[in-house]
Amino acid sequence: MPDFRSGFIAILGKPNVGKSTLVNALLGQKIAAVSPRPQTTRRRQLGILTLPDAQLVFVDTPGVHTPRHKLGQFFNQEAEEALDGVDVVLFLVDASTEPDEEDRRAASLLQALRRRPDLVLGLNKIDKVPVPAIERVKSSYQVLVPETPALAFSAASHQGLKELLEALTGRLPVRPAEYPEDQITDLYEKEIATELIREAALIFLRDEVPHALAVRLDEFSERENGNAYIAATLLVEHDSQKGIVIGEKAAMLKKIGSAARMEIEAMSGRKVFLELRVKVDKDWRDDENALRRLGYKIKTKK
């Protein structure tokens, strides 16, 4: 097709503005973990949407924030590196709140780019905003990225997503698709399964646990009947957190496992046997060796 468009679109913003929810909504299926907790996304992930006339490769990134530990430094590093070489950046904000310091931090990353991609300001969660207030909120965010076109929509209700797709597609270069039309992400099934386990834990656990929790995949194997066996360890930083994750008579761990298993089965289209255990890895978020074992490698800036 001579006018087929294709390109990479980085979604940048502070934690909990709905980046992963938006990617899932645009693709029409779940590939990224989502929860009400900030910082659910911990690494870059591609969401690939192929249309008859275009291929949009969304780069879902961790939320930009003020880091309090080495894991937080990794989040910001992942978000910053995701901007390199993309065709468009969708600067995503929460229209139900006013701009804050973390929004300004994300905007400053854009201002510091040597090669600035095409930029779109996306105001998400307008389903939570009275219609008369939308223009005022839009103006308050446009101060952070002057002369940037803005679109208002809701990833949760799908309001305005058609217009968003049209605007993003029109900003992509004319070129062939980068990926096969049936590919929807760059992650393997076992990597998505790991994220879905962590998502279930984030949804059910109390506030003091979620950010101190990681999931280590110990085994992912296929049975002869085509079903899958998954064994994973939930890592926490302190003994008190271990007790919370397990719960009385292992009730919490069973609840997490049941919810995660249903999501993994829905994603993979097959039966899954999931076995979870909990282990303490003291202060793992500030331990570079522990982070490296979990796949979080912090690069030293030159």
Side-chain angles (χ1 to χ4, degrees), residues 21-277:
T21 300
L22 178 60
V23 171
N24 290 339
L26 292 172
L27 267 61
Q29 57 185 297
K30 190 170 190 175
I31 63 161
V34 294
S35 84
R37 313 292 185 182
Q39 298 173 12
T40 299
T41 300
R42 287 184 169 175
R43 63 178 76 246
R44 282 173 288 174
Q45 179 180 0
L46 300 185
I48 305 164
L49 176 63
T50 303
L51 304 172
D53 59 349
Q55 185 177 81
L56 297 85
V57 184
F58 296 99
V59 188
D60 188 12
T61 66
V64 177
H65 66 294
T66 302
R68 296 180 175 84
H69 41 64
K70 288 185 172 63
L71 180 61
Q73 293 175 28
F74 174 83
F75 293 164
N76 284 351
Q77 173 185 289
E78 284 280 281
E80 186 173 353
E81 290 183 356
L83 303 177
D84 186 31
V86 299
D87 302 287
V88 181
V89 174
L90 177 62
F91 178 32
L92 197 63
V93 300
D94 182 347
S96 68
T97 66
E98 293 293 328
D100 62 15
E101 186 55 40
E102 290 185 332
D103 290 303
R104 287 186 280 274
R105 185 183 184 105
S108 69
L109 273 183
L110 298 171
Q111 302 294 346
L113 291 176
R114 293 179 183 176
R115 185 194 70 83
R116 182 166 172 173
D118 204 344
L119 181 63
V120 175
L121 173 63
L123 292 99
N124 191 21
K125 306 187 183 182
I126 60 167
D127 53 316
K128 298 181 178 181
V129 184
V131 173
I134 292 177
E135 284 302 318
R136 177 186 57 78
V137 173
K138 183 187 295 186
S139 298
S140 67
Y141 279 103
Q142 284 185 308
V143 172
L144 303 181
V145 281
E147 301 180 7
T148 298
L151 291 168
F153 51 86
S154 168
S157 70
H158 292 202
Q159 179 184 351
L161 293 191
K162 181 174 180 287
E163 292 77 8
L164 174 65
L165 274 179
E166 290 173 352
L168 294 175
T169 300
R171 287 170 166 78
L172 297 180
V174 175
R175 66 183 178 208
E178 296 279 346
Y179 296 92
E181 65 178 28
D182 59 346
Q183 184 173 348
I184 60 169
T185 185
D186 60 328
L187 296 188
Y188 293 104
E189 183 181 352
K190 63 181 182 180
E191 294 170 318
I192 299 175
T194 303
E195 291 301 294
L196 292 177
I197 295 168
R198 191 166 61 84
E199 174 194 70
L202 291 178
I203 290 172
F204 288 115
L205 292 171
R206 296 201 304 238
D207 290 343
E208 65 267 29
V209 175
H211 301 310
L213 183 140
V215 177
R216 185 187 70 207
L217 191 67
D218 300 319
E219 183 178 346
F220 188 106
S221 58
E222 293 192 15
R223 299 286 172 85
E224 290 183 0
N225 58 8
N227 297 337
Y229 169 76
I230 301 173
T233 300
L234 305 184
L235 298 172
V236 294
E237 292 188 312
H238 305 292
D239 288 325
S240 59
Q241 294 168 344
K242 181 178 180 179
I244 293 170
V245 175
I246 295 173
E248 187 176 355
K249 297 182 179 179
M252 178 60 74
L253 191 60
K254 290 175 183 176
K255 189 183 295 186
I256 293 168
S258 178
R261 179 182 53 78
M262 287 191 291
E263 290 285 359
I264 296 169
E265 288 181 342
M267 177 269 296
S268 64
R270 59 179 172 174
K271 290 289 185 182
V272 171
F273 180 78
L274 176 61
E275 186 174 356
L276 299 179
R277 65 171 185 152

